[in-house]
Amino acid sequence: DAKTTQPPSMDCAEGRAANLPCNHSTISGNEYVYWYRQIHSQGPQYIIHGLKNNETNEMASLIITEDRKSSTLILPHATLRDTAVYYCIVLRKTSYDKVIFGPGTSLSVIP
Amino acid sequence: KAGVTQTPRYLIKTRGQQVTLSCSPISGHRSVSWYQQTPGQGLQFLFEYFSETQRNKGNFPGRFSGRQFSNSRSEMNVSTLELGDSALYLCASSLESANTGELFFGEGSRLTVL
């Protein structure tokens, strides 16, 4: 599986957009980018995933670069409840590989 | 629709004892994965079960084992507990394989080994 690199921590002002980057320079053509987040003391929560097109749902937007070597998760209007650890994962949707979480990015939304 | 249910939520054991944790997946989900989370190691994959068969396994010693029943409920067991086994144990279910869709996590079972 391709590996991902994320900054260990980030701050974001409440109400502003939070842009969380993820580098996956060795991603293969059939690998998807998944994002999860984990709020303190809770289980991780699925956010969004994509292959090569930008994706948007009620929680966030996912922007994947044209060469697919990096992506950005965007929380358009961050709230204090978005303070969490965000995990970027790359995996092949059709295989049965184990889902491995890296250290993620700890996002702090500041009032 | 009920989410993933893990029991017990909290438990305290002493070294050398064994523990069994239970996970009830979302109705209709056939894949169950287990993770161990500690402050130092983060989220580490233990194993995944699908249709009562272990399909993937992480790098944990044989003291860690699991099983899945015909109704997709899963249990994991840790024998001969060590202090380092103190952790949050998370279970996740998904419709098919763990990576053909999103994982749905439970709240976890927090194990303290004294």
Side-chain angles (χ1 to χ4, degrees):
Chain A
D1 287 341
K3 293 184 178 179
T4 63
T5 304
Q6 299 177 253
S9 63
M10 292 181 63
D11 291 338
C12 177
E14 188 178 17
R16 305 297 293 269
N19 298 288
L20 294 104
C22 179
N23 181 287
H24 32 79
S25 58
T26 59
I27 192 170
S28 301
N30 60 351
E31 288 179 316
Y32 285 70
V33 180
Y34 279 74
W35 283 84
Y36 285 80
R37 74 178 183 183
Q38 186 175 23
I39 296 170
H40 183 62
S41 296
Q42 297 182 17
Q45 175 191 26
Y46 164 82
I47 301 173
I48 197 168
H49 75 278
L51 181 63
K52 55 183 178 180
N53 298 319
N54 298 338
E55 302 288 343
T56 296
N57 62 21
E58 65 278 4
M59 289 183 66
S61 294
L62 173 60
I63 308 297
I64 303 173
T65 57
E66 193 167 342
D67 63 9
R68 303 210 323 122
K69 293 184 177 182
S70 65
S71 61
T72 301
L73 179 75
I74 300 173
L75 308 178
H77 306 287
T79 70
L80 299 179
R81 287 176 294 182
D82 292 321
T83 293
V85 177
Y86 288 78
Y87 301 97
C88 170
I89 300 166
V90 169
L91 49 84
R92 290 169 293 179
K93 208 173 187 183
T94 56
S95 77
Y96 299 122
D97 291 342
K98 46 200 175 189
V99 180
I100 304 299
F101 289 80
T105 296
S106 178
L107 174 70
S108 296
V109 179
I110 302 168
Chain B
K1 183 154 130 173
V4 177
T5 304
Q6 292 189 246
T7 57
R9 289 293 311 281
Y10 303 91
L11 66 166
I12 299 173
K13 293 285 187 178
T14 57
R15 280 183 299 174
Q17 287 187 310
Q18 66 91 28
V19 66
T20 298
L21 308 177
S22 179
C23 172
S24 293
I26 292 172
S27 177
H29 285 196
R30 298 196 295 162
S31 169
V32 173
S33 299
W34 288 91
Y35 291 81
Q36 181 198 65
Q37 186 168 34
T38 59
Q41 299 296 319
L43 265 167
Q44 291 191 285
F45 176 82
L46 280 157
F47 27 64
E48 181 215 352
Y49 286 87
F50 181 79
S51 292
E52 302 178 65
T53 301
Q54 186 182 88
R55 188 156 60 182
N56 279 301
K57 190 176 188 307
N59 297 320
F60 278 81
R63 299 187 297 108
F64 292 81
S65 63
R67 58 177 175 169
Q68 186 179 33
F69 302 96
S70 58
N71 62 357
S72 293
R73 190 178 70 85
S74 177
E75 288 181 348
M76 68 162 285
N77 184 277
V78 188
S79 63
T80 320
L81 284 166
E82 301 176 359
L83 296 179
D85 297 332
S86 294
L88 179 66
Y89 289 88
L90 290 159
C91 162
S93 75
S94 69
L95 200 54
E96 293 289 336
S97 163
N99 60 350
T100 56
E102 57 264 35
L103 296 176
F104 294 83
F105 282 84
E107 294 295 314
S109 293
R110 186 167 293 280
L111 170 65
T112 301
V113 182
L114 302 176

